[in-house]
Amino acid sequence: MKKIITMIGLATLLITSVARATEVFVLSANPSHIHVLAASCATCHGTNGNGVDQTKPLAGIGKTDFLTKMLAFKSGERKATVMHRHAKGLNAQEIEGLAAYFSAQIPRQPSALPSQVLNKNHAN
Amino acid sequence: MQINRRDFVKLTGVSLGLGLGLANASLSAFARATKPPIGRVVIIGGGYAGATAAKYLRLWSLGAIEVIVVEAHQQFVSCPLSNLVLGGSKSINDLTFGYDALKANHGIQWVHDTVTAVDPDAKKITMLRGDLSYDRLIVAPGVDFIYDDLPMLASAEAQQQIPHAWKAGWQTVNLRKQLEAMPEGGVFVMNVPKAPYRCPPGPYERVCQVASYLKAHKPRSKIIVLDANAEIISKKGLFIKAWANLYPGIVDYRPDSTVTNVDVATKTVTTDFDKVSADVLNIIPPQQAGKIAKIANLTEKDYPWCEANFLTYESKLVKNVHVLGDSVAAGLPKSAHMATNQAKVCANAIVQLMAGLAPDSAPVFANTCYSFVTDKTAMHVANVYRYDAAKKIMISAEGGGVSSAPSDKEGEYAASWAQNIWTDVLT
Ligand SMILES: Cc1cc2nc3c(=O)[nH]c(=O)nc-3n(C[C@H](O)[C@H](O)[C@H](O)COP(=O)(O)OP(=O)(O)OC[C@H]3O[C@@H](n4cnc5c(N)ncnc54)[C@H](O)[C@@H]3O)c2cc1C
């Protein structure tokens, strides 16, 4: 019992201090707004910005680096196949929130999901 | 010591703000080890929407919400890229995955079964093997086909002759084999059902893939496309150009051509104006929300899709029941990317609701659909969608649009999209 309470205390302390450091909560009325938006980038950039290919990693990206790149996509200054469409639809607050989010992620190299042989009895 | 609702609010209230990549391992381990959970969510369907909702409910609740998925199939077979099986550059085994990593990584309970009934008053579902109770239910069954006007195609035997191949699997393989067996100079006939249907650009991508196979192997063959819509409904200019430039003389496109009758034995199709005979025939029937959505009374009479609140994806008709993916009446493209985004907004809303917090009042997400016009050249349509509080729907933000032209670079990015969405959804 005592041990678990200490764990909560520790975890909360740790999280609060990181939250202060990243100041995410001041960027959006609802704090979950940014992490849900960030999760929508996973489709092309991997969960928490760790893609299976290392072509465009976001996890651990420097905040300034991220902001510079996103703003260049948004203005059209940096030519892109598709990122300009994603950057243009976001507002400045969201881009700042995403910078804080992705810069705080730990870079990892997930391996691609192995495929399987389709079962004979699969219904479709 | 049990984790109670107040502790959970305290934990998530802080940690939700900064991305849970930061929430350290001991915290999630702690949350996982505590019992009982603060609520149980049952999910019908482990497709793109359901599997994503399961993962993110577990992640964002730090394991405090119990999640049970009921899925009819043992394997996940991806519709995205399945047109490439027809073109020959992919095999169905490249697109087939297991659920083991997802289950194990996130402590998701999994039942291989079919849901046959929902009782929202008693908050329970019925499966073939028995009942299961829930605090909140997510219904994510994808689409089902409407055979009212084409009853001759409803049986498995008829679909052996004339596959839809609009749910990836053996029908996709069957259609590819029929193409391989088709004589040089033969005619491939396919239709496009009336919108809305799953994957707006999908049928036109299929035309490209079949054309690519024919051009390489049976160049005197033809494709007749019978479109129930008045025009190509996604990436119109790009597809017209691709057919003209890459596959001249192969594609015969006919708008306003609803299939009204099919003779299965002779593979003859009738429309209001035409009667065409095929060597290989692919009929994609009109679509509706997955059957269980109708059984659960999530659809209204005469409208086969489910109306939902776009902040939570809770059904407008049945309380504590959420709807995701292709079954949702959204006026937005029915795509895998969209299904996963809806699932993330919904998972977040459920975590917040169960923690006694208000869900995000202004969700934003993006959709991208890539289409392959050859085995390695692709093009996109992409839009950001933002919640409009006055209209209460997701509307297109500034900057959306399509590729200026298909390219090999986008083919690489499209392949990378597939790898990343599979890994995001299934691990
Ligand atoms: C040829 C083709 C190409 C496509 N290409 C793309 C693309 O490039 N990009 C893109 O974004 N989208 C694409 N799509 C669209 C995409 O496949 C769908 O939008 C997506 O699958 C929708 O996800 P979902 O979870 O709603 O449904 P599904 O993925 O179909 O999942 C529904 C699941 O529910 C299960 N289920 C249903 N009823 C029950 C029940 N009663 N009990 C238990 N389980 C049940 C089913 O077995 C299934 O696994 C394509 C589709 C097709 C057909």
Side-chain angles (χ1 to χ4, degrees), chain B residues 85-120:
Chain B
V85 174
L86 305 177
S89 60
K90 289 275 177 221
S91 119
I92 200 74
N93 297 332
D94 297 327
L95 311 180
T96 302
F97 303 96
Y99 286 113
D100 287 348
L102 179 67
K103 291 188 253 182
N105 292 350
H106 303 289
I108 298 163
Q109 299 176 60
W110 206 272
V111 187
H112 172 223
D113 205 337
T114 299
V115 179
T116 55
V118 175
D119 179 347

Side-chain angles (χ1 to χ4, degrees), chain B residues 292-307:
Chain B
I292 191 66
K294 197 172 205 168
I295 294 171
N297 294 318
L298 303 177
T299 58
E300 279 181 299
K301 220 177 162 23
D302 304 326
Y303 188 64
W305 308 101
C306 309
E307 300 279 356

Side-chain angles (χ1 to χ4, degrees), chain A residues 1 4-5 7-8 11-12 14-16 18-19 22 24-25 30-37 39-48 50-53 55-56 74 81-82 84-91 94 101 104-106 108 110-124, chain B residues 1 11 14-19 21-22 24 26-27 30 55-56 60 73-75 77 92-94 96-98 167-171 337 340-341 344-345 348 352 358-360 362 364-366 368 370 380 382 384 386 397-402 409-410 413 416-417 419-424 426-427:
Chain A
M1 172 100 167
I4 292 173
I5 292 174
M7 272 178 68
I8 301 184
T12 314
L14 185 112
I15 283 178
T16 319
V18 180
T22 55
V24 173
F25 51 81
N30 188 317
S32 65
H33 182 76
I34 292 300
H35 79 236
V36 179
L37 173 58
S40 85
C41 315
T43 316
C44 297
H45 290 278
T47 307
N48 292 329
N50 284 302
V52 294
D53 47 8
T55 51
K56 40 188 166 41
K74 195 170 159 76
T81 59
V82 77
H84 55 302
R85 306 213 175 281
H86 294 281
K88 278 185 179 144
L90 304 178
N91 63 36
E94 284 163 344
Y101 180 91
Q105 303 305 313
I106 301 155
R108 291 200 178 85
S111 39
L113 184 66
S115 62
Q116 298 186 345
V117 174
L118 180 62
N119 288 340
K120 284 269 178 305
N121 62 2
H122 188 87
N124 293 320
Chain B
M1 162 84 192
L11 290 172
V14 185
S15 63
L16 283 179
L18 44 119
L22 289 182
N24 72 348
S26 69
L27 177 58
F30 162 72
K55 166 174 170 171
Y56 282 89
W60 288 339
H73 292 117
Q74 234 138 10
Q75 291 174 304
V77 190
I92 200 74
N93 297 332
D94 297 327
T96 302
F97 303 96
K167 294 186 178 186
W170 289 113
Q171 290 214 8
H337 193 173
T340 61
N341 284 328
K344 287 166 184 177
V345 171
N348 181 57
Q352 303 234 333
D360 183 9
V364 179
F365 53 60
T368 303
Y370 285 109
H380 75 255
V384 171
R386 191 174 278 285
E398 187 196 338
V402 300
K409 190 80 201 153
E410 283 214 273
Y413 284 138
S416 155
W417 171 91
Q419 292 296 334
N420 280 310
I421 196 172
W422 293 332
T423 309
D424 184 43
L426 296 169
T427 67

Side-chain angles (χ1 to χ4, degrees), chain B residues 44-50 70-73 76 79-83 99 113-116 140-143 165-167 198-199 202 205-206 292 324-327 334-339 367-370 417:
Chain B
I44 305 176
Y48 277 98
V70 187
E71 166 55 52
H73 292 117
F76 178 105
C79 285
L81 298 200
S82 69
N83 282 329
Y99 286 113
D113 205 337
T114 299
V115 179
T116 55
V143 293
W166 213 243
K167 294 186 178 186
R198 154 176 288 182
C199 196
E205 179 191 58
R206 176 165 292 182
I292 191 66
L324 293 177
D326 287 352
S327 283
K334 296 185 185 301
S335 76
H337 193 173
M338 199 59 101
N367 180 62
T368 303
C369 286
Y370 285 109
W417 171 91

Side-chain angles (χ1 to χ4, degrees), chain B residues 201-279:
Chain B
Y204 312 108
E205 179 191 58
R206 176 165 292 182
V207 171
C208 295
Q209 288 301 313
V210 172
S212 142
Y213 168 75
L214 295 178
K215 184 181 173 183
H217 299 279
K218 289 155 192 168
R220 287 188 289 110
S221 304
K222 296 247 169 319
I223 302 176
I224 298 175
V225 187
L226 303 171
D227 195 334
N229 303 288
E231 57 179 6
I232 294 172
I233 64 164
S234 178
K235 304 177 195 166
K236 179 179 171 188
L238 287 169
F239 278 119
I240 290 176
K241 238 188 243 165
W243 297 341
N245 295 345
L246 299 167
Y247 310 114
I250 294 183
V251 183
D252 171 355
Y253 174 79
R254 303 179 189 181
D256 286 317
S257 300
T258 303
V259 175
T260 54
N261 196 16
V262 175
D263 187 282
V264 176
T266 61
K267 294 191 178 164
T268 306
V269 189
T270 311
T271 68
D272 287 336
F273 314 105
D274 264 334
K275 198 166 190 165
V276 293
S277 288
D279 291 288

Side-chain angles (χ1 to χ4, degrees), chain B residues 366-422:
Chain B
N367 180 62
T368 303
C369 286
Y370 285 109
S371 299
F372 278 90
V373 298
T374 72
D375 56 345
K376 52 175 182 298
T377 309
M379 58 204 191
H380 75 255
V381 55
N383 282 88
V384 171
Y385 296 94
R386 191 174 278 285
Y387 185 73
D388 182 309
K391 298 195 182 112
K392 294 193 162 64
I393 51 170
M394 300 296 294
I395 58 166
S396 203
E398 187 196 338
V402 300
S403 307
S404 50
S407 68
D408 287 2
K409 190 80 201 153
E410 283 214 273
E412 285 165 30
Y413 284 138
S416 155
W417 171 91
Q419 292 296 334
N420 280 310
I421 196 172
W422 293 332

